[in-house]
Amino acid sequence: MNTKAKPTDDINLFADWPQALDPREKELHERYDPEFLSFLNRLKKANKKINQTILIKAYNTALYFHRSHKRKSGDPYFDHLFSVAQILSELHMDSTTIAAGFLHDVVEDTECTYEDLVKEFNQTIADLVEGCLLYTSPSPRDR
């Protein structure tokens, strides 16, 4: 059995992705895919046990559900999600936790549900995302 990991340079980011890309999503992928592939390469060098399949799925899912969301600055909201995933990787978190970092706002901000995350990912990722909702600080206008 060949256990050698496939180089991320050869990854098809859409192998398991059922939706056709809409123009907003395509634009985001053009912007983030090179950085994401570099991110995966760094993770694999640091940890041979990294589950790139779940990370690719979380990345694609987060981009899909947040494709039209912008920050007040006009930048894509996905910047925040990618930053969270990068911080978690720098803290040497596992693939499940990093995937939850990409997904941490999908239940709160999109039509994606907790049950969707359980079905598409697993109970642990769904629970981590749900846990983020419990610790969200109130918005400045609520203080």
Side-chain angles (χ1 to χ4, degrees), residues 36 40 43 50-59 95 98-99:
F36 178 69
L40 275 181
L43 285 174
I50 203 77
N51 182 339
Q52 68 184 29
T53 302
I54 202 161
L55 292 173
I56 291 167
K57 189 171 184 178
Y59 167 80
S95 302
I98 296 168

Side-chain angles (χ1 to χ4, degrees), residues 34-76:
E35 186 177 356
F36 178 69
L37 290 171
S38 176
F39 174 69
L40 275 181
N41 275 326
R42 287 191 309 275
L43 285 174
K44 282 179 57 180
K45 285 179 184 172
N47 179 357
K48 301 292 183 204
K49 295 181 182 179
I50 203 77
N51 182 339
Q52 68 184 29
T53 302
I54 202 161
L55 292 173
I56 291 167
K57 189 171 184 178
Y59 167 80
N60 282 329
T61 301
L63 266 177
Y64 173 77
F65 280 108
H66 291 285
R67 67 192 176 279
S68 61
H69 298 168
K70 300 271 187 196
R71 300 191 77 125
K72 285 183 182 180
S73 66
D75 292 331

Side-chain angles (χ1 to χ4, degrees), residues 18-34:
Q19 286 98 349
L21 298 180
D22 71 24
R24 292 172 295 191
E25 206 177 350
K26 185 176 181 190
E27 180 183 322
L28 288 171
H29 276 286
E30 288 171 355
R31 176 176 177 168
Y32 291 105
D33 285 359

Side-chain angles (χ1 to χ4, degrees), residues 74-117:
D75 292 331
Y77 186 75
F78 188 76
D79 282 352
H80 165 67
L81 304 173
F82 203 155
S83 293
V84 169
Q86 289 173 321
I87 290 167
L88 292 170
S89 75
E90 290 166 8
L91 295 171
H92 306 285
M93 296 291 125
D94 63 3
S95 302
T96 299
T97 305
I98 296 168
F102 276 117
L103 299 166
H104 77 272
D105 280 333
V106 296
V107 172
E108 182 178 20
D109 296 340
T110 75
E111 65 275 11
C112 183
T113 66
Y114 173 86
E115 291 76 19
D116 293 333
L117 292 179

